[in-house]
Amino acid sequence: MRICRKWTLLLALAAGFVQWLGGQGAFHYDDFHSIVHNPHLRSLENIPRFFSDPTLFSGDAKQAMYRPVVLTTYALNYAFDGFDPHVFRLFNIVIHAINCALVLHLVHALTRLPAIAWTAALLFAFHPLSVESVQYISSRSESLMALGLLSALLCYERWQREGARRWYGLSLGAFALSVLSKSVGCVGLLLLPLCDWLQGRSIARRGRLLAYAPFLVLVGMYVSVSHQVVGKAIGAPVRHYDVQLWTQLKAWVYYAWLGTMPAQLSVEHQFFLSHSLGVPAVWLALLLIVSLLWVAAVARQRLPLFALLWCALVLLPASVVPLIVLVNEHRLYLALVGAGIGLGWLVNAVPINRHRVALYSAAVYTLLLVWMAFERAQVWRSEEALWADAASKAPGMLKPHLRLGDALVEAGAFARAEAAYGRALQLRPQHPATRNNLGRLYMRQGRFEEAEAHFRTLLEVSPDIVQARLNWALLLLRRGAWLEAEGAYREALRYGDTGGEAQKKLGYIALHHRADSQRAVDHLRAGLALRPDASTWTVLGVALRSGGQNEQAEAAYRAALALDGESADAWFNLGNLYRDTGQRAQARDAYRRVAEMAGEPLAQKAVQELQLLTPQ
């Protein structure tokens, strides 16, 4: 029995509609360094470089990852409508909708049982665990990887059944898409023989092994290009491998619980390391996993064992390679397919005379999942809502309180932000980021003595925290001690100025306090080489004008406007340049742009300049 296309389309539209209606669109934590503050996304000309340089993944080269397909989609989103989070989220939703249709057809191709196919597809489409992979923009790597892998398996199955070489070629191409979206896509090498085993095809046959070979070559090519990132993860793990093993054994059972009872989902779970097999939770988890596999094997039915092995294989990379975050909901996105197949097998095993009860129960369960997914999507409407939810569900974890504090600072809720940072410090009194951010909050409020105390305490314990040094230097600058601030910024350079902030501030000091325009230009150019931004280009233009380099100053202002076309400072200074060089028409145009920017402090000055330039 074939799957009706109309019903497939309805499933995809329904899945997308729930996600769109539930969420509102916002950038969250990792989105800022990989998208919002990533200058490499602002030109489609960088797309070829995405496939050769992992450092382009982020505005911070230390956050390098090799995910060229993901970066390409980000660049396309930006080219369409800038950094509008709604456009980015819509793209994620479309990917999820397509994946729902792929799950339906893949499971049907593997089982030839519509009941199992629809059960798996509905679970995948509406389970609340899928929400993070859709609403969190950076989780696009997970959904894109799944898109490529599901397509590869479906095309491979079509090739096995029909023998047309085009399906094999499409399978190989889709597999490349998966791997180039996220390294987890490499598990396709294991899922291909698993699907062959389910179909009763011999895995060890020479022809079958030759069919796997090109997929293996693609994985080898991927590893060779991304060896810097992969080598770092494997060669310098964040924890010992034995601790990783015991912790992830416990995590697998925890994941199963989340899938069964998805009522306490959170962006940060209260989940801790396990350091030995002797911990009761670890050996009980191991016993449960072994028991499930044994029961599935003894039952002598391939489908339930296939479902368990599918889940195990897609979770294997994150379980073997130690990652900073112990458990993540988006890691379960592809595992939901295996869970859906297992649930579908149970539904299909219901005796005929109870099928109606099973169908009614499935309908009620699906509606419950829809409601829970809708509710979960709303949590992602803002950083504040997301981390407030996490802090309430994981009060013993530091990150939710720290991130909530950051979100509250952005919202101007300083008292609540201070309380959130305080709770984080109670958990870890010497945590660098928390103490640094609390110092920044005090500095923003003009509480300079309290800010100084936090920065000094932090630097005494961790003198290599560059951001704390930069904040300390900024505090000195705001207090008028520019000479001391200059020394502090030079000290920060000794520890590494990856963002160029120290160079930019040294340029500012050279221009406004030392009246040394050439030194300012040198510092500002050094800072821009590390991280370009509109405000620094504008200051560079002012420094160049001070040195009489008007043409270079105009180029600097234009560079600022290329990054931010609504920069009032850039337009106003450009207007000043045109006014002073006798280009009255161009000056009027620049001032007019500033005058039209309601609420800008420079708007009134621009109006005055326009009046002076307008013939009476």
Side-chain angles (χ1 to χ4, degrees):
M1 182 184 296
R2 295 178 62 86
I3 298 292
C4 177
R5 292 182 180 179
K6 291 182 180 180
W7 285 106
T8 301
L9 179 60
L10 182 61
L11 169 70
L13 291 175
F17 181 73
V18 169
Q19 293 284 353
W20 178 260
L21 197 63
Q24 296 181 24
F27 289 117
H28 299 285
Y29 53 117
D30 283 348
D31 292 342
F32 293 102
H33 79 81
S34 62
I35 301 175
V36 179
H37 302 310
N38 188 351
H40 312 112
L41 304 180
R42 296 168 183 167
S43 173
L44 295 179
E45 295 179 359
N46 286 328
I47 290 178
R49 296 177 58 206
F50 295 157
F51 290 83
S52 60
D53 188 353
T55 63
L56 300 186
F57 179 76
S58 169
D60 180 3
K62 293 181 179 179
Q63 303 282 349
M65 286 189 179
Y66 188 62
R67 297 176 180 176
V69 171
V70 178
L71 285 180
T72 299
T73 64
Y74 288 163
L76 292 172
N77 278 156
Y78 178 80
F80 180 76
D81 197 20
F83 289 126
D84 183 351
H86 296 89
V87 174
F88 281 80
R89 185 171 71 102
L90 178 60
F91 196 97
N92 280 22
I93 291 173
V94 171
I95 295 172
H96 179 62
I98 296 172
N99 284 342
C100 294
L102 289 172
V103 169
L104 177 62
H105 285 271
L106 174 61
V107 177
H108 185 258
L110 292 173
T111 65
R112 294 296 168 183
L113 295 170
I116 296 179
W118 276 104
T119 302
L122 289 171
L123 184 80
F124 180 84
F126 300 116
H127 200 289
L129 280 171
S130 68
V131 170
E132 182 170 312
S133 296
V134 180
Q135 300 295 332
Y136 176 31
I137 307 301
S138 288
S139 277
R140 180 180 299 179
S141 58
E142 197 76 35
S143 57
L144 268 178
M145 179 273 295
L147 174 67
L149 199 50
L150 292 169
S151 300
L153 294 174
L154 182 58
C155 290
Y156 180 83
E157 191 61 30
R158 292 287 296 270
W159 172 65
Q160 290 288 351
R161 292 180 181 275
E162 300 176 13
R165 288 184 178 274
R166 70 177 183 277
W167 290 115
Y168 182 79
L170 288 172
S171 177
L172 200 59
F175 181 71
L177 168 70
S178 176
V179 172
L180 294 174
S181 297
K182 192 173 184 179
S183 58
V184 178
C186 293
V187 300
L189 274 178
L190 303 176
L191 294 179
L192 284 172
L194 182 65
C195 291
D196 281 331
W197 170 80
L198 179 65
Q199 299 302 308
R201 297 189 285 260
S202 174
I203 298 173
R205 283 180 52 193
R206 182 172 180 273
R208 197 81 61 207
L209 294 175
L210 288 175
Y212 300 150
F215 293 90
L216 180 61
V217 170
L218 279 176
V219 171
M221 293 172 61
Y222 168 81
V223 172
S224 67
V225 174
S226 63
H227 67 281
Q228 296 177 350
V229 179
V230 175
K232 181 180 178 181
I234 297 176
V238 296
R239 70 186 66 88
H240 293 297
Y241 285 103
D242 58 338
V243 175
Q244 174 71 7
L245 175 60
W246 312 136
T247 303
Q248 289 304 311
L249 281 174
K250 188 176 64 174
W252 282 20
V253 176
Y254 184 68
Y255 285 147
W257 172 253
L258 289 179
T260 307
M261 298 290 292
Q264 289 295 311
L265 300 187
S266 173
V267 69
E268 180 80 4
H269 292 266
Q270 191 152 302
F271 192 88
F272 302 100
L273 291 170
S274 294
H275 294 274
S276 73
L277 184 58
V279 177
V282 176
W283 58 262
L284 285 173
L286 178 60
L287 181 62
L288 178 59
I289 292 169
V290 172
S291 298
L292 284 174
L293 291 172
W294 182 80
V295 169
V298 169
R300 295 185 179 181
Q301 294 195 36
R302 295 193 177 206
L303 202 55
L305 185 56
F306 172 87
L308 289 173
L309 290 175
W310 175 288
C311 294
L313 290 177
V314 298
L315 290 174
L316 189 61
S319 300
V320 172
V321 179
L323 301 173
I324 295 176
V325 180
L326 299 179
V327 293
N328 250 336
E329 290 173 14
H330 64 254
R331 294 175 190 166
L332 296 174
Y333 186 68
L334 198 54
L336 286 173
V337 179
I341 292 173
L343 180 61
W345 174 76
L346 289 174
V347 170
N348 198 62
V350 173
I352 297 296
N353 59 348
R354 297 179 185 174
H355 261 195
R356 181 171 296 179
V357 175
L359 288 174
Y360 287 150
S361 300
V364 172
Y365 182 61
T366 301
L367 290 175
L368 179 62
L369 290 179
V370 169
W371 177 77
M372 295 179 73
F374 176 82
E375 290 289 314
R376 184 64 196 156
Q378 293 189 37
V379 173
W380 289 84
R381 66 185 180 273
S382 68
E383 277 280 88
E384 181 180 343
L386 181 68
W387 293 109
D389 173 77
S392 67
K393 293 175 180 175
M397 304 301 288
L398 180 141
K399 186 193 289 186
H401 302 297
L402 171 60
R403 295 288 188 178
L404 177 59
D406 294 344
L408 290 169
V409 168
E410 289 299 314
F414 295 154
R416 292 172 58 201
E418 183 177 357
Y421 289 141
R423 286 190 289 273
L425 285 177
Q426 288 176 0
L427 295 172
R428 287 177 60 184
Q430 298 302 327
H431 187 252
T434 305
R435 194 168 288 281
N436 179 65
N437 291 7
L438 183 56
R440 289 175 59 189
L441 171 61
Y442 288 149
M443 184 167 59
R444 187 168 178 172
Q445 293 177 291
R447 298 160 64 178
F448 292 143
E449 291 184 2
E450 293 169 276
E452 180 180 354
H454 279 285
F455 293 142
R456 284 190 179 277
T457 300
L458 174 55
L459 290 172
E460 286 173 3
V461 177
S462 305
D464 58 339
I465 304 295
V466 176
Q467 193 57 52
R469 290 196 172 278
L470 293 174
N471 287 328
W472 164 241
L474 181 60
L475 174 62
L476 293 171
L477 191 60
R478 288 187 177 179
R479 297 176 75 169
W482 67 266
L483 197 58
E484 295 177 51
E486 185 180 48
Y489 280 121
R490 293 191 183 281
E491 185 69 14
L493 285 177
R494 293 179 56 244
Y495 289 92
D497 184 25
T498 56
E501 188 62 27
Q503 292 283 13
K504 294 172 184 178
K505 291 298 184 183
L506 286 169
Y508 173 87
I509 291 171
L511 179 64
H512 293 282
H513 296 285
R514 290 193 177 276
D516 188 340
S517 59
Q518 187 54 52
R519 182 187 294 185
V521 167
D522 293 340
H523 282 302
L524 293 168
R525 288 197 184 281
L528 286 167
L530 293 170
R531 182 177 295 172
D533 65 272
S535 61
T536 305
W537 275 113
T538 303
V539 177
L540 176 60
V542 174
L544 289 166
R545 278 208 69 196
S546 298
Q549 303 177 63
N550 289 337
E551 291 184 6
Q552 293 91 328
E554 181 180 1
Y557 295 141
R558 289 295 179 187
L561 293 170
L563 292 175
D564 181 6
E566 299 300 314
S567 173
D569 284 340
W571 279 116
F572 189 80
N573 280 283
L574 186 60
N576 291 343
L577 173 62
Y578 288 143
R579 177 200 63 197
D580 295 342
T581 54
Q583 302 175 69
R584 298 171 64 87
Q586 293 91 327
R588 283 195 295 270
D589 180 62
Y591 287 136
R592 191 175 295 112
R593 287 177 177 270
V594 180
E596 292 172 354
M597 297 178 185
E600 280 290 343
L602 288 174
Q604 187 58 40
K605 290 184 178 181
V607 170
Q608 294 172 359
E609 293 292 342
L610 277 171
Q611 291 172 349
L612 293 173
L613 290 171
T614 302
Q616 299 298 322

